[in-house]
Amino acid sequence: MTFSRDLKIAPSILSADFANFGAEIEAVETQGADWIHVDVMDGHFVPNMTFGPPLCKAIRKHINTVMDVHLMISPVDQYIDAYRDAGADIITAHIEAGPHIHRTLQHIKSTGAKAGIALNPGTGIGDMDYLLDMVDLVCVMTVNPGFGGQKFIHSQVEKVRQLRAKIGDRPIHIEIDGGITPETAPLMWDAGADVLVAGSAVFKGGSVSNPKPYGENIRAIKASCG
């Protein structure tokens, strides 16, 4: 992966047709997706359950861009190797997911994956001071984690602006996860984000047999950012 601050859209497969993941991924990439975002939930750290390593391994062969795996699980450390072995290019863990986030990031980096850290809406950026030189991505949650289709939390715009200033010229992506639409995307782009995760906003109106709406939705989000 070559670092770039160009705007990237990362459709979340949480909003895809679960019975047809491979074809959905191929369709959305063909229609302009930059990354593929995989939301992993455990029913414990967040109130939902989704995808284990075998599913990630199964879909890996359909992904030609970047497999961006967001672990909303706790404890997290003992699953890092499994998700890397399944093909994750980026592995993101929540700052609250274990007692030693520094060690967790070290573990992720040791696998050869890019390391990400996720911040819930109620989590500040102060704890990032001694972590920024270890991470490749900071994921700012703009909804409370656990479910797709939630309402965007506007207080996170200022958090992203402050985070962008703190990052400075470090090659770190700022990713936004939750409530991204053509209306909210420019707020985050202007604040300094460069990766926008979008689920229902990308997959709405389309299907494997009719993928053109996926492309139209992706282009609408990008166009809203200027």
Side-chain angles (χ1 to χ4, degrees), residues 186-224:
L187 301 176
M188 292 319 227
W189 171 245
D190 291 344
D194 62 284
V195 184
L196 304 179
V197 175
S200 54
V202 167
F203 285 99
K204 67 179 181 181
S207 65
V208 168
S209 60
N210 179 33
K212 288 185 178 180
Y214 297 164
E216 293 168 357
N217 295 335
I218 290 169
R219 289 189 292 275
I221 295 171
K222 286 192 171 182
S224 74

Side-chain angles (χ1 to χ4, degrees), residues 83-159:
Y83 280 98
R84 175 57 174 167
D85 290 345
D89 296 303
I90 304 168
I91 298 176
T92 297
H94 278 251
I95 200 167
E96 307 92 347
H100 304 294
I101 188 62
H102 190 284
R103 178 178 293 157
T104 299
L105 294 170
Q106 284 180 318
H107 189 169
I108 294 171
K109 298 286 275 189
S110 75
T111 69
K114 299 291 186 181
I117 191 165
L119 305 177
N120 284 329
T123 304
I125 64 173
D127 290 336
M128 296 298 299
D129 288 347
Y130 297 100
L131 299 172
L132 282 178
D133 289 330
M134 301 182 67
V135 301
D136 302 288
L137 176 148
V138 181
C139 175
V140 176
M141 297 297 299
T142 43
V143 300
N144 282 295
F147 297 96
Q150 296 185 69
K151 187 177 179 181
F152 180 86
I153 299 173
H154 282 267
S155 63
Q156 304 306 292
V157 177
E158 180 58 27
K159 179 192 287 187

Side-chain angles (χ1 to χ4, degrees), residues 30-51:
T30 298
Q31 291 296 320
D34 298 289
W35 293 5
I36 298 296
H37 189 80
V38 183
D39 287 306
V40 176
M41 308 181 195
D42 63 359
H44 166 68
F45 185 67
V46 294
N48 197 3
M49 297 179 72
T50 56
F51 316 122

Side-chain angles (χ1 to χ4, degrees), residues 162-205:
Q162 293 178 15
L163 178 63
R164 182 68 193 85
K166 187 182 286 285
I167 286 172
D169 60 0
R170 295 177 179 90
I172 298 173
H173 297 291
I174 298 179
E175 179 177 75
I176 307 301
D177 190 353
I180 288 297
T181 66
E183 289 70 43
T184 59
L187 301 176
M188 292 319 227
W189 171 245
D190 291 344
D194 62 284
V195 184
L196 304 179
V197 175
S200 54
V202 167
F203 285 99
K204 67 179 181 181

